[in-house]
Amino acid sequence: MTLGVIGCGNMGRALIQGVVKSRRMSPRRLIGWDPDQARLRAIVRSNGIVRASSNLDLTRRAKAVLLAVKPQQMDQVLREIRPGAKRGKLVISIAAGVPIRRIQRALGPGARVIRVMPNTPALVGQGMAGISAGRGVTRADLRFARRIFEAAGQAIEIPEAWMDAVTALSGSGPAYFFFLMEAMIEAGVKLGLSRQAAQRLVKATAAGAAALALAGPQPPRKLRRQVTSKGGTTEAAFRVFKKRGLAAILRAGIFAACRRARQLSRGR
Ligand SMILES: NC(=O)c1ccc[n+]([C@@H]2O[C@H](COP(=O)([O-])OP(=O)(O)OC[C@H]3O[C@@H](n4cnc5c(N)ncnc54)[C@H](OP(=O)(O)O)[C@@H]3O)[C@@H](O)[C@H]2O)c1
């Protein structure tokens, strides 16, 4: 299989690097294109992949095409690659809010489309991706898509109807954790710590908590209770979080992200 990557920005680059580093594909089987020629040159040079001369050239040369452009760039890219995507091409899109049917309509009935929602921890090989298959996609196509995204973390297969919720949860999710870290750092600074010390304490605590949550089958609630002794400091913090409705605020934010993903899917 040869894979062409259209758009070598944050996500495109992360996926190319993940696949090359994990040796899941030979770099000679990866083809890249991006309108930013300096960016493209750097990625081609550092990963040893092949450079295309346009989106259409890439599509003609690759068996599978990964669309890693912004949703608003998608219509133009689909128009450009259509002549090369007619004969049963596998097209994998990571664009938020672009449904499979829209890509299939733009490329014609021959294209087999897989839609994926990855996230930015893919940049360090710790990504989480939800994968949905469109009409005509084979088990082999899905295995191939999993191989790409598992090179940059984990992947699960989901029905497309879940995609907006997955976007709200794991697509946008890293930003929620960063926000929590920002707020904790600010609190530490207000309590008299240096910013540098607060940042180090918070980042290491976040990494440790994530590692502990991943180490076993216990739900996060149980791990939280292990930290919360009766009459202790954590309990004092949670009394305030509960009183001010922190869980309800988080839920409302995640619901808003899901609503926005739905609007984007409808082209609004
Ligand atoms: N970032 C995230 O957290 C995240 C998470 C999940 C899914 N996604 C999805 O991943 C996709 C890419 O996001 P990103 O953060 O990687 O964006 P990005 O960094 O802006 O990368 C997009 C790349 O595509 C290039 N491009 C623009 N027009 C093009 C064209 N006609 N043909 C080929 N390449 C073109 C851009 O070049 P210019 O910069 O010159 O325009 C840029 O290098 C988006 O659809 C997004 O919804 C992102």
Side-chain angles (χ1 to χ4, degrees):
M1 199 69 149
T2 38
L3 175 70
V5 180
I6 293 187
C8 299
N10 292 316
M11 296 306 297
R13 196 187 65 227
L15 292 166
I16 290 172
Q17 282 170 354
V19 170
V20 170
K21 237 188 183 154
S22 68
R23 297 171 188 257
R24 282 168 191 240
M25 276 175 81
S26 152
R28 305 310 298 165
R29 293 191 164 274
L30 282 166
I31 312 172
W33 200 78
D34 192 287
D36 184 327
Q37 293 300 297
R39 187 181 298 155
L40 179 59
R41 245 193 325 271
I43 285 161
V44 164
R45 204 173 302 142
S46 60
N47 294 284
I49 67 166
V50 178
R51 178 181 176 167
S53 59
S54 68
N55 284 333
L56 182 56
D57 169 52
L58 176 147
T59 307
R60 289 203 164 118
R61 288 159 73 178
K63 280 242 169 17
V65 175
L66 176 73
L67 302 172
V69 297
K70 293 270 185 217
Q72 57 272 28
Q73 296 156 343
M74 193 57 115
D75 286 337
Q76 190 202 326
V77 168
L78 290 172
R79 267 195 306 276
E80 283 171 26
I81 69 169
R82 186 182 161 92
K86 275 186 182 147
R87 263 177 296 132
K89 203 68 78 173
L90 173 62
V91 176
I92 304 169
S93 163
I94 61 167
V98 180
I100 291 175
R101 64 171 186 283
R102 195 166 129 204
I103 299 172
Q104 231 146 15
R105 221 176 16 234
L107 295 180
R112 307 189 310 281
V113 182
I114 291 179
R115 182 177 168 197
V116 182
M117 177 46 57
N119 63 14
T120 53
L123 286 162
V124 290
Q126 299 277 323
M128 182 70 223
I131 301 186
S132 294
R135 224 180 319 121
V137 166
T138 65
R139 293 309 305 169
D141 292 336
L142 269 170
R143 265 200 308 278
F144 177 71
R146 284 191 80 112
R147 246 175 58 207
I148 298 168
F149 290 92
E150 282 173 354
Q154 301 182 47
I156 52 166
E157 279 170 46
I158 55 162
E160 196 186 12
W162 290 10
M163 201 48 100
D164 297 326
V166 169
T167 303
L169 217 56
S170 59
S172 301
Y176 311 152
F177 287 105
F178 298 141
F179 181 72
L180 200 61
M181 288 160 80
E182 283 173 62
M184 287 172 72
I185 292 166
E186 288 313 319
V189 170
K190 284 249 153 57
L191 287 170
L193 303 182
S194 72
R195 185 166 293 277
Q196 203 185 15
Q199 190 155 302
R200 195 160 161 211
L201 288 162
V202 168
K203 280 187 175 186
T205 303
L212 195 57
L214 287 169
Q218 305 104 310
R221 179 193 293 266
K222 199 162 176 199
L223 296 171
R224 172 166 62 83
R225 285 191 177 146
Q226 278 172 10
V227 191
T228 317
S229 23
K230 246 202 155 14
T233 55
T234 317
E235 194 188 61
F238 273 98
R239 212 171 292 131
V240 175
F241 294 160
K242 275 194 182 138
K243 201 166 152 209
R244 303 224 183 157
L246 183 59
I249 290 172
L250 285 170
R251 195 169 47 238
I254 292 167
F255 281 16
C258 184
R259 276 197 304 278
R260 182 66 191 131
R262 255 179 224 139
Q263 284 173 347
L264 288 170
S265 306
R266 293 189 197 115
R268 281 189 254 156

